[in-house]
Amino acid sequence: MEKESKNFNRRKFLGTGVLAGVGLASAGLILSSCKKELNNEALGLPPILRGAPKGRKLRAGLVGVGNRGTGAAINFISAGPDLEIIALADVFQDKIDSCRERFAGFQLPIPAENCFVGFDAYKKLMAIPEIDVVILATPPQFRPEHFLEAVVNKKHCFIEKPVCVDPVGARLMIATAKKAEALGLCVVTGTQRRHQEDYIETYKRVANGAIGKLTSAKAFWNQEHVWFRTREEGWSDMEYMIRNWNNFCWLCGDHILDTHVHNIDVINWFMGKYPEKAIGYGGRARRVTGDQYDFFSIDFDYGNGVSSHSMCRQIDSCANSTGEIVNGTEGYTNCINTIWNLDGSVKWQFEYPKDENGNPMNQVKIPPYVQEHMHLVYAIRTGKYVNEAERTALSTLTAIMGRTAAYTGQIITWDAIMKSDMDLGPTKLEFGPVDMIFETPIPGTPVKV
Amino acid sequence: MLGALICLVIIFFINAVASYTSSDQYCMSCHVHPWAEQNWKLSPHHNNRTGVTVHCVECHLPPKGEGYLFAKAKHGVIDAYGYLFKDSGKINWEAKKLLENAKGFTYENACIKCHQNLFPVTLSVNGSNAHLAYLNTKEEPKPNCINCHLIVGHFDRNAKHEHDTNFGVDATASKELFGEATKVESFKNFTEKIPGTSVSFDMVAIPEGTFNMGSPDGEPLRKPDEGPVHRVKLSKFWMGKVEVSWNEYLAFFQTTGSQGRTEGQAIKNKNVDAITGPTPPWGAPDQGWGKGLRPAITMSWKSANTYCQWLSKVTGKKYRLPTEAEWEYACRGNTTTPYFFGGDPKKYTSKGIFKKLFGRDTTTIGSYIVYAENSSSKTKEPVSVKENPFGLKNMAGNVAEFCSDYYSPDAYQSNSESINPKGPNSGQEHVIRGGSFKSDAKDVRSAARDFTKTKAWLVTDPQMPKSGWWYSDCIDIGFRVVCEADSAK
C-alpha cells in the first residue's frame, strides 16, 4: 500500500470495507484502490443510481413545454418516488394545451391555474411557493434570465443544454451558478453523456492514465437536416421565429451549440480544461429557413500543441456519425465504451448489461435522460450537493467561441470571448414585428477586382 | 507547576495587551485624523441595516494567523514613529486615501475573511461581471477588492463607482457663445475661441530652434532612457499655455460623446465625417475635485487624440498632440539644466532615508511645479504656479501629458541630429511627459520620460469590453495641444 494519508475518502472506504468483510465485489475494488487511482468522488463523477432515493415530495414547474421540455418533465417524474409536475409556462397556449393533455393522459393532471402563457409566464410560475424544482427547457436564448429568476426564487434547477447563445448570457449563467451555489440550490444540466455509466467508466480510466497523456481529439455531430417551420399566415415576426427557433441564431445559437455542444463538452471533460483559442470555418449550403450555417469545422487549441477538431453538419445524404475520439501517448478511446492500444488492439471495453436472453444490450440500463434527473433528486434529498451550471456554461461558451471563429474568419481567444459584449437578443421581447437583420454571416472581404 | 502558571499569566497578559491595543479606542487615541473616524461611522462598515460594526483592525490588519501579529508590529512601529516625530498637520492625509496608498494598509484577506460569498443573490449583472473578472484575472495587474470598493470603509461623498451617464452635461453655464474661431494673421500668441461654446484658451507661439534633447550622464537622478543627449531642430509651433482644462474637454465631450452609449455599442451615424467622441465615463473622472480650469484628466490617449481632431475640425486649424521633442523643447525654454529654473534634483527629491528624516528643499521648485510635496494629491488650477521661459505653465507637474510618439526606452539611440522627430514608427504605449501632482521632484525634470500603461490603468473598469475613452486607474494624466504654424490664416 502506498502512503497517502491525505486521501481521507479512500481510507474511510477501506475501513468500512474491512468492517463489512471482504466480499467478492469489494475485493476487486480494494485491489484497484491499492494502485494510485482516483475514485469517482475525486474525479467529480456523479453517482450511477437505480432510482432516486425516497424523501420529501418534490414539486416541479416546467418552463418551455415543447418536445424536449415535455420529455424532460416526464424524465423527471420517472426518476423516483414522490416527484410531481404541478405548473407549466410557455409563450404559446397551444403548447401548454398539448403538454397538459399528455400529463392528463398519465392521470397526472396539472391544474389550469398553474399554467401560464406569455414572455413573463416563467416569472409567474417561479413565484409559486410550493415549487421546489424548475425545469428550464425553452430555446437557449431565454435560459440565463430564467435561471436567474429561478435562483432568486430559491428553486433547484434542471437546465437543458445549451445554456445560452452569447457571451453576455454565458457570464450571467456563470454568475447565477455561483449564486445558486451560495444558496445551496442544486443544478443539473442536460449534458447527459456526463451521467452515462459507459462514458463515466471510460473517463475514469482515461483520467487514471489508460491512454497516457492526451495529444489530440476529434468531436463530430454530422446528421441529416433538422426540423424547420415555414411561416404561416397571421404569425408575427416574433411568433414565427420562436416557432422556428431552431433555425435562428439569436434563439438557438446555431447547431454548433444546439447539438454539437454535447461532443464539445465531452472533449472539455476529458481534456480537463477549456481551449485557449479557436479557428475554423463553416457555411450554409442547403438550409431552408433562418440565418444559420449548416456545417462547421473548428480547430480548438487546448495549448501545448493539443488540438481538438470539431465538426458538425446538418445536410442530407452525407456520411453521418456522432461521437468523440481522444488520442493519447499510449492509446486512444471513443470516450463512450472502448479504449484501444496504439496498435489498434482493444485494451478495455465497457460491459453493457444483458437482456432477458443473456445477450448484451448496447446501452446502459437506465436512460441517461432519466439518470440525470435521478442525480438531481438524489442531490436534493441527500444533501450531496451538485451544480453543473458553470461547467455547462463554459462548454457552451466554447461552442460560441468556435461559432464566432467561423462566422468572422478570425482567431477567437478564450479571453476575448469571455469578455465579449456580444448579445444576440432583440432589445424587447414581445409579439409583433422585429427590427433585426438576418444575414447569414460571411467571413472575410470580397476580392478586390 | 509554578513555571506553567507564570507562563499562563504571561500569555494571558500578552493576549490582553494584544486585544486592548486592537480596540477602536486604542487606534483612535493616536490616529489624530478625526475625519477617518467620522467617515468610518458614515460608511456601511459602521452604518448598516444589520447592526454589525466592523472595527479598525478588522480591515487594517490581516486576519489572525495570516500575518496578523507581524503586520500589527510593523504598522505599530511606523505609527508610533509618526506619532512621536511627525507633525500630524503636515501629513498628507488626502494622499493616504488614494487607491495605491490605501492598498498598503488595507488587507484583502481581511475583506475576504468576512465577505466569503462574492455572488450574493442580489448582485447586479455589472457586479457579477466585475466579480467574475476578479476571479478570472490570474496575472498582474490584478484587481484588489478596494479597486472598486474603495469607499466602503470610509465614506466619501464625492466618490463614484458607476456609469456616470450625466457626466459634464450641465457643466457650462449659458454664456455668450462664440460664432467662429479666432483668425490668426501672424505668428504670435493668440487666444483661441471654440465656436459654438463660450470656451477660450491661450496659445503661445514657440519659436523655431535647435536644442539638446535628453539629459547628460552626469545629471543627478536621471534614468538611462533619457540619453544619449542629441541635437534636435524644430520648426515653430504654437502650444497651449496650460493643460487642456475641463471647460475645453467638456465642450468636446458634449458635442461628440453620445450620452448613455455603452462601450461596445456600434455607432449608427450616417454622417461618416462626424467625429465620434467618448462614451460616458465609469466613476467620476474629475475625482470630485471640480472641473472648470483644472486640467481635464483620466481620458485615454485615443480620447486626447480625438479631441485634437475635433478641435481642428471646429476651428479650421491643425491641432494635434505635441511630439516628444516639441514637448521637451517647450518645457526647457532654452534652458539646459535639469529644471527650467535653478536647482539640484538631489536637493529637491524626497527619496532616501535622510530626506525623510531631515526634510528637503521645496522653496524654488514649489513656485513652478505642482508635485507630490505641494499638491495635496490633487490637480491645481494654473494660477498657482509661475510660467517657464516660453510663458507656458505646468509643463512639469500637475498632470502628466500625452505626446504623439510611441514610447521606446532606446528611442534616442537612433535620433542623433534630427529635424522634427516623431519617435518610433510603431509601439504599444505612448510617451507621457512632465510628471504629475503625484511625482517626486526627480520625475518632474525636463528630460524625465514616462509612458502610458494601458492594462494597469484599466484594472478597475468593470465594463466589458473596457473603456477605450477613459482610464479607471490613472488620475494624473492629461494633455496639452499644439497648433501647427502653417495653419495660420
Side-chain angles (χ1 to χ4, degrees):
Chain A
M1 285 287 298
E2 278 182 50
K3 262 193 186 173
E4 207 178 291
S5 55
K6 277 180 189 166
N7 196 338
F8 178 72
N9 286 321
R10 202 183 68 193
R11 282 196 304 159
K12 204 169 113 189
F13 166 70
L14 282 173
T16 39
V18 170
L19 276 178
V22 184
L24 267 176
S26 61
L29 279 168
I30 287 173
L31 275 176
S32 70
S33 75
C34 283
K35 287 181 236 149
K36 195 179 176 180
E37 192 160 290
L38 298 165
N39 60 14
N40 284 29
E41 205 161 329
L43 292 170
L45 295 169
I48 293 299
L49 304 160
R50 295 277 161 254
K54 281 183 202 156
R56 178 171 68 83
K57 180 175 270 190
L58 294 176
R59 298 177 181 87
L62 171 63
V63 180
V65 305
N67 269 339
R68 181 79 282 268
T70 306
I74 293 169
N75 297 150
F76 174 75
I77 55 173
S78 352
D82 289 317
L83 302 169
E84 285 179 7
I85 301 288
I86 66 157
L88 304 176
D90 202 287
V91 291
F92 298 121
Q93 184 66 53
D94 53 300
K95 298 279 177 190
I96 293 272
D97 293 342
S98 57
C99 184
R100 272 189 84 204
E101 223 166 90
R102 275 189 82 177
F103 275 84
F106 306 139
Q107 311 304 318
L108 298 168
I110 298 164
E113 68 268 21
N114 281 357
C115 294
F116 308 99
V117 179
F119 283 110
D120 62 347
Y122 74 96
K123 285 192 175 175
K124 296 174 186 161
L125 181 144
M126 288 172 194
I128 298 174
E130 293 77 40
I131 289 181
D132 309 289
V133 178
V134 291
I135 298 167
L136 306 181
T138 63
Q141 162 67 30
F142 309 113
R143 196 91 73 248
E145 286 294 329
H146 291 185
F147 182 35
L148 178 60
E149 183 75 10
V151 169
V152 167
N153 284 288
K154 304 184 175 64
K155 312 296 187 195
H156 302 285
C157 295
F158 178 84
I159 298 181
E160 270 301 346
K161 52 85 269 200
V163 297
C164 55
V165 295
D166 50 39
V168 168
R171 286 196 300 272
L172 184 52
M173 285 302 299
I174 295 165
T176 309
K178 292 180 185 295
K179 291 178 178 182
E181 189 178 349
L183 294 173
L185 297 170
C186 292
V187 188
V188 167
T189 61
T191 43
Q192 76 277 356
R193 283 164 170 72
R194 297 232 202 189
H195 295 269
Q196 222 170 291
E197 191 178 3
D198 42 7
Y199 270 96
I200 289 170
E201 288 302 316
T202 312
Y203 172 78
K204 216 190 305 186
R205 281 160 180 81
V206 170
N208 281 305
I211 61 171
K213 279 191 177 166
L214 308 192
T215 56
S216 70
K218 186 163 78 172
F220 40 100
W221 190 295
N222 298 324
Q223 65 164 119
E224 308 287 299
H225 86 268
V226 291
W227 66 267
F228 62 91
R229 299 283 299 264
T230 43
R231 192 162 179 164
E232 287 177 19
E233 218 167 291
W235 285 359
S236 66
D237 291 349
M238 183 61 88
E239 175 163 7
Y240 168 57
M241 284 194 286
I242 294 182
R243 288 198 185 275
N244 194 26
W245 67 269
N246 203 25
N247 293 285
F248 285 96
C249 188
W250 75 270
L251 283 157
C252 162
D254 215 325
H255 64 107
I256 188 171
L257 268 73
D258 186 46
T259 43
H260 190 42
V261 70
H262 280 303
N263 313 121
I264 291 172
D265 182 56
V266 168
I267 302 297
N268 284 343
W269 178 24
F270 276 63
M271 290 284 182
K273 55 182 169 183
Y274 299 92
E276 293 171 4
K277 57 189 173 194
I279 186 169
Y281 37 83
R284 180 182 171 98
R286 296 186 181 276
R287 225 176 173 83
V288 182
T289 63
D291 61 350
Q292 299 186 147
Y293 281 5
D294 49 17
F295 62 93
F296 287 92
S297 172
I298 311 289
D299 182 89
F300 286 112
D301 187 340
Y302 285 80
N304 299 334
V306 178
S307 268
S308 173
H309 177 204
S310 246
M311 51 177 160
C312 54
R313 180 174 58 199
Q314 296 184 337
I315 297 177
D316 296 347
S317 313
C318 294
N320 287 338
S321 58
T322 298
E324 305 88 13
I325 298 285
V326 171
N327 301 293
T329 50
E330 290 164 32
Y332 58 98
T333 176
N334 61 358
C335 300
I336 185 170
N337 55 24
T338 310
I339 294 173
W340 289 272
N341 294 307
L342 287 174
D343 63 7
S345 56
V346 172
K347 185 176 189 177
W348 171 84
Q349 205 152 25
F350 179 75
E351 265 183 53
Y352 285 100
K354 296 186 167 62
D355 64 13
E356 306 88 51
N357 305 324
N359 300 318
M361 306 192 293
N362 47 17
Q363 58 190 21
V364 291
K365 207 168 230 165
I366 292 172
Y369 303 99
V370 180
Q371 184 68 243
E372 54 196 10
H373 287 276
M374 288 177 179
H375 186 193
L376 176 64
V377 175
Y378 165 84
I380 297 170
R381 285 184 174 162
T382 64
K384 297 231 161 63
Y385 185 70
V386 62
N387 187 338
E388 303 174 347
E390 179 167 353
R391 75 171 191 218
T392 306
L394 291 171
S395 282
T396 309
L397 191 64
T398 309
I400 293 169
M401 176 166 76
R403 181 189 73 199
T404 310
Y407 279 5
T408 61
Q410 305 300 314
I411 290 174
I412 307 295
T413 64
W414 182 254
D415 195 47
I417 204 72
M418 185 60 113
K419 290 177 180 165
S420 163
D421 63 344
M422 184 199 301
D423 184 357
L424 300 182
T427 44
K428 222 175 184 185
L429 283 175
E430 59 189 11
F431 285 113
V434 177
D435 181 26
M436 284 170 77
I437 303 161
F438 297 100
E439 281 166 352
T440 301
I442 302 174
T445 55
V447 176
K448 286 186 189 123
V449 185
Chain B
M1 185 65 195
L2 191 67
L5 205 67
I6 291 170
C7 278
L8 275 177
V9 169
I10 291 174
I11 288 168
F12 177 79
F13 181 70
I14 290 173
N15 263 332
V17 169
S19 71
Y20 171 68
T21 56
S22 290
S23 68
D24 295 336
Q25 289 80 358
Y26 185 79
C27 296
M28 304 299 180
S29 68
C30 288
H31 282 261
V32 284
H33 37 100
W35 62 265
E37 184 179 359
Q38 289 157 6
N39 290 338
W40 164 61
K41 288 189 170 167
L42 290 169
S43 81
H45 279 76
H46 188 282
N47 168 40
N48 59 52
R49 280 183 290 126
T50 62
V52 174
T53 298
V54 183
H55 304 283
C56 306
V57 294
E58 290 176 85
C59 300
H60 295 302
L61 286 178
K64 286 185 181 166
E66 296 178 42
Y68 174 81
L69 284 176
F70 177 77
K72 191 170 163 64
K74 184 184 90 175
H75 291 296
V77 168
I78 295 170
D79 291 351
Y81 172 79
Y83 185 68
L84 294 173
F85 299 109
K86 279 187 177 172
D87 175 356
S88 79
K90 286 188 180 161
I91 292 174
N92 186 353
W93 297 114
E94 283 299 309
K96 308 252 180 222
K97 285 157 73 177
L98 296 177
L99 174 66
E100 61 263 40
N101 298 330
K103 280 180 185 170
F105 46 82
T106 313
Y107 287 85
E108 195 166 38
N109 287 355
C111 305
I112 292 166
K113 184 181 175 238
C114 292
H115 298 276
Q116 296 191 350
N117 180 9
L118 295 189
F119 292 89
V121 77
T122 49
L123 187 67
S124 70
V125 170
N126 280 333
S128 300
N129 279 339
H131 283 185
L132 285 178
Y134 171 79
L135 293 180
N136 287 341
T137 309
K138 303 275 192 291
E139 296 161 5
E140 293 297 339
K142 274 192 212 165
N144 182 297
C145 296
I146 60 171
N147 268 76
C148 299
H149 303 284
L150 185 60
I151 58 158
V152 295
H154 297 277
F155 178 70
D156 179 352
R157 65 184 78 249
N158 290 325
K160 272 205 170 88
H161 185 66
E162 60 190 21
H163 210 193
D164 188 355
T165 48
N166 289 318
F167 179 73
V169 166
D170 49 6
T172 37
S174 52
K175 284 189 205 158
E176 197 189 337
L177 304 181
F178 298 121
E180 52 185 33
T182 307
K183 287 211 165 53
V184 181
E185 309 290 339
S186 61
F187 187 70
K188 54 185 183 190
N189 295 1
F190 71 98
T191 299
E192 181 66 281
K193 296 170 185 158
I194 303 179
T197 73
S198 55
V199 179
S200 64
F201 57 93
D202 291 339
M203 294 296 288
V204 175
I206 308 291
E208 66 175 358
T210 305
F211 79 113
N212 285 340
M213 187 168 177
S215 61
D217 289 343
E219 184 167 312
L221 303 174
R222 80 189 280 274
K223 287 187 194 153
D225 68 348
E226 297 166 23
V229 173
H230 55 288
R231 295 290 285 170
V232 171
K233 188 167 188 270
L234 289 172
S235 312
K236 61 186 177 181
F237 57 93
W238 281 284
M239 185 174 242
K241 184 180 178 69
V242 299
E243 291 147 343
V244 171
S245 70
W246 275 117
N247 283 345
E248 293 152 54
Y249 195 74
L250 288 176
F252 156 70
F253 181 70
Q254 284 151 12
T255 38
T256 61
S258 41
Q259 297 298 330
R261 175 161 59 89
T262 55
E263 206 43 50
Q265 224 163 329
I267 319 293
K268 283 179 190 163
N269 197 331
K270 282 173 191 139
N271 182 358
V272 286
D273 293 334
I275 288 171
T276 303
T279 48
W282 189 270
D286 64 339
Q287 311 300 308
W289 304 336
K291 304 185 187 79
L293 296 174
R294 277 184 200 265
I297 47 173
T298 78
M299 77 295 287
S300 66
W301 187 93
K302 169 180 145 182
S303 281
N305 198 43
T306 310
Y307 171 87
C308 297
Q309 291 167 13
W310 168 82
L311 189 61
S312 305
K313 196 167 176 244
V314 295
T315 60
K317 302 187 183 73
K318 282 186 206 157
Y319 281 98
R320 57 173 172 75
L321 293 173
T323 66
E324 186 172 18
E326 285 167 346
W327 192 95
E328 187 169 330
Y329 175 66
C331 179
R332 289 184 173 279
N334 295 325
T335 64
T336 55
T337 44
Y339 304 98
F340 56 81
F341 45 87
D344 181 351
K346 275 188 181 160
K347 292 234 168 70
Y348 292 142
T349 186
S350 316
K351 298 292 161 195
I353 185 88
F354 288 104
K355 297 287 178 183
K356 285 208 168 99
L357 289 176
F358 303 114
R360 50 269 161 191
D361 182 4
T362 59
T363 41
T364 315
I365 186 171
S367 64
Y368 287 100
I369 299 186
V370 178
Y371 71 124
E373 289 299 321
N374 65 355
S375 68
S376 308
S377 301
K378 288 177 182 177
T379 59
K380 285 192 178 177
E381 294 192 1
V383 297
S384 65
V385 293
K386 294 191 218 164
E387 297 173 355
N388 83 347
F390 277 156
L392 302 164
K393 283 189 165 189
N394 282 329
M395 284 302 290
N398 210 21
V399 298
E401 300 173 14
F402 292 121
C403 293
S404 57
D405 308 36
Y406 284 112
Y407 174 79
S408 159
D410 47 15
Y412 294 179
Q413 306 288 345
S414 53
N415 258 354
S416 55
E417 194 76 53
S418 54
I419 301 167
N420 294 326
K422 290 188 162 56
N425 289 330
S426 61
Q428 292 290 324
E429 304 287 354
H430 287 94
V431 170
I432 61 173
R433 294 294 296 257
S436 75
F437 65 82
K438 283 185 181 178
S439 300
D440 179 68
K442 71 183 168 63
D443 297 318
V444 293
R445 289 175 300 109
S446 298
R449 308 178 70 209
D450 202 354
F451 54 91
T452 55
K453 288 133 195 127
T454 308
K455 207 170 174 186
W457 290 356
L458 282 167
V459 168
T460 303
D461 185 346
Q463 302 172 94
M464 294 194 184
K466 289 176 185 287
S467 179
W469 300 98
W470 301 97
Y471 297 126
S472 54
D473 298 74
C474 180
I475 61 171
D476 58 341
I477 186 76
F479 66 107
R480 76 176 71 214
V481 296
V482 298
C483 181
E484 294 191 356
D486 62 7
S487 65
K489 273 164 202 154

